[in-house]
Every structure is written in structure tokens, then in C-alpha cells.
Amino acid sequence: MTQRIALVTGGSRGLGKNAVLKLAAQGTDIIFTWNSQQQAAQDVVEELQQIGVKAVALQLNVSDISTFGDFTQQVTQALKETWQRDTFDYLVNNAGIGINVPFAETTEAQFDELLNIQFKGPFFLTQHLLPLIKNGGRILNVSTGLARFALPGFAAYAAMKGAMEVLTRYQAKELGERGISVNVIAPGAIETDFGGGSVRDNEQINQYIASQTALGRVGVPDDIGDAIAALLSDKLGWMSAQRVEVSGGMFL
């Protein structure tokens, strides 16, 4: 079997880091991107190498579409130099930020920042990378439970993720002729530094979410990393165009 390679955006921290470690534990080699934390990225590379897989970290700002051509060339070069290949198997569009601001107070600048990072960036990055994705490969987009249920302060963020969910179905339809499956994972509330770390650090928020979750607790990064690795396993190769919420049953 040919060695599998996954490209994960935003892999130096948070859920992206957890995802690359879980994929690596399954024997998948990794290319991941980082935006501003070069040392953190290098630390992840070393951790991945200790697991026993090959790993390459590349800088990318997913909101700056003008750099995608150069980034695609860097991926091409990394594939050639590290794996002697010209394609990779899995693309995980994970990189993102969270802005918590009421609908009535959301500025155009905040809206545009979310648009570029959460929707426009993944749209055109995937487009650029299509020639490098192996026929029969996988694309996994990342949404949020907030696209199903509504919590005040996330109107713009959730709207962009809702757009990603619709895009997922269109990608699945149009890329199916190449045997590429496309799905979207929607995490619930997770204890990370995302959005300032309020879910992790604010006891009141944490307890409220746990009380509204069927499984009785807030999610942790391992919950999502394990799910991403499972969704990219061979056993789910026939699944495409699906939204999979991984929230422990929030707000049912």
C-alpha cells in the first residue's frame, strides 16, 4: 500500500495539532501549515517524527489568497523531495479563528476577516491544490455545531461555516468523477484556546455547556482528533457529501 499523506491547515496548535498527531498515530505522513507560531510548528514536526512518520511544516496565511500559487509550489516541492511523489491523499481544511461579537455590533472588518479565513480561503486553497490531490483521495472540511444551533455572538462565524457545509456538497458532486470524497465535520464546544479559551477557562460556561450536552461534559481536543482520523479511515471511503457533528449531543 502506498504511504498515505495528509495536508492539514492550521496544524501547529489546537484541534489541528491534535488531528495531525492522531493521523500520524495511524501511520499517515503529514504536511501541515502554520501562520505565526514557527517554533510551535517545529515542535510538532519533532513530535511527529518521534511517532515515526515523515512531517513537513509550511507557512500559510489562509486569508491571503495571493500566496496560494506559491504555497502550491512549496507543497509540490515538499512532495517531490520528501516522498518522491506528486500527489497527497487527504486535505483537511482546519485553519480558522473565532470572533464572538453580537450581530448588531459586528463590523465590516470583522465580517471580512471571517469571510477570508473561514470560507474564501478554503474555497480557493482547495481549488489550487486540486491537481495535487490523488484520484480517490479525500477532502474534509471543518464546520461547527453553531451552524445547527444558535448561540448569541457567533452570527458571522457560523454563517461562514454554513457556507462551507453547502460548498462541501458541491465539491462532493463535482469531484466525485475523480473518486474524491468530500465531507464536513462539525465540532461542538471544545476545551481549547479557541476564541480566547472561554469554554476551557470559564467554569460557568463550561458547566452550562456540559448541562446541555447529552453525554454530560464539554468536548476535549482528543474527541475531534480521533473523529478526524476515523473519518479519513479506509472504512469510511464510501461516505461523501455528509455533515458529521461531533458534539456529544449538544442542544438536542
Side-chain angles (χ1 to χ4, degrees):
M1 183 186 294
T2 306
Q3 175 62 39
R4 305 295 173 86
I5 305 168
L7 193 164
V8 181
T9 64
S12 63
R13 50 175 285 277
L15 298 183
K17 176 183 176 180
N18 194 278
V20 300
L21 292 173
K22 297 292 187 177
L23 287 165
Q26 292 185 348
T28 302
D29 287 347
I30 303 292
I31 301 171
F32 71 90
T33 73
W34 57 278
N35 180 23
S36 59
Q37 301 181 32
Q38 184 172 12
Q39 186 55 54
Q42 187 54 43
D43 292 344
V44 174
V45 167
E46 292 172 5
E47 196 169 348
L48 291 168
Q49 290 171 342
Q50 288 171 3
I51 293 174
V53 303
K54 295 178 181 177
V56 174
L58 299 174
Q59 186 174 19
L60 176 69
N61 177 354
V62 294
S63 71
D64 188 356
I65 293 165
S66 68
T67 66
F68 289 176
D70 287 343
F71 174 74
T72 303
Q73 284 301 114
Q74 291 176 40
V75 175
T76 301
Q77 187 175 348
L79 288 168
K80 193 171 297 184
E81 292 179 355
T82 305
W83 290 277
Q84 294 74 55
R85 279 179 54 178
D86 54 11
T87 60
F88 62 91
D89 301 271
Y90 312 134
L91 171 62
V92 182
N93 284 308
N94 164 78
I97 62 166
I99 295 178
N100 183 350
V101 58
F103 166 74
E105 298 169 19
T106 302
T107 66
E108 185 178 0
Q110 289 170 326
F111 183 96
D112 287 345
E113 184 178 17
L114 285 166
L115 173 67
N116 289 334
I117 294 174
Q118 305 289 10
F119 183 55
K120 190 175 179 181
F123 186 107
F124 287 103
L125 180 63
T126 303
Q127 188 185 83
H128 272 80
L129 292 173
L130 277 178
L132 305 184
I133 299 175
K134 183 180 178 182
N135 289 345
R138 313 275 193 86
I139 298 171
L140 183 61
N141 296 319
V142 177
S143 180
T144 173
L146 292 161
R148 175 179 65 83
F149 50 78
L151 289 175
F154 294 101
Y157 171 78
M160 305 307 168
K161 291 299 194 181
M164 283 301 299
E165 293 186 6
V166 174
L167 175 63
T168 295
R169 296 196 295 274
Y170 277 82
Q171 289 174 327
K173 183 77 168 178
E174 295 190 25
L175 302 180
E177 63 184 13
R178 289 183 51 191
I180 295 173
S181 68
V182 190
N183 295 290
V184 57
I185 185 172
I190 307 294
E191 293 181 353
T192 68
D193 60 1
F194 189 78
S198 59
V199 172
R200 178 192 61 197
D201 301 331
N202 186 312
E203 183 88 11
Q204 191 174 359
I205 292 175
N206 192 291
Q207 289 181 354
Y208 171 71
I209 291 171
S211 74
Q212 299 299 313
T213 301
L215 293 179
R217 64 169 175 84
V218 172
V220 296
D222 278 349
D223 294 324
I224 308 305
D226 282 334
I228 288 172
L231 287 168
L232 294 176
S233 71
D234 289 340
K235 294 180 180 179
L236 290 177
W238 187 237
M239 185 174 78
S240 193
Q242 299 306 302
R243 176 193 191 270
V244 180
E245 184 172 313
V246 185
S247 69
M250 284 182 66
F251 300 114
L252 297 179

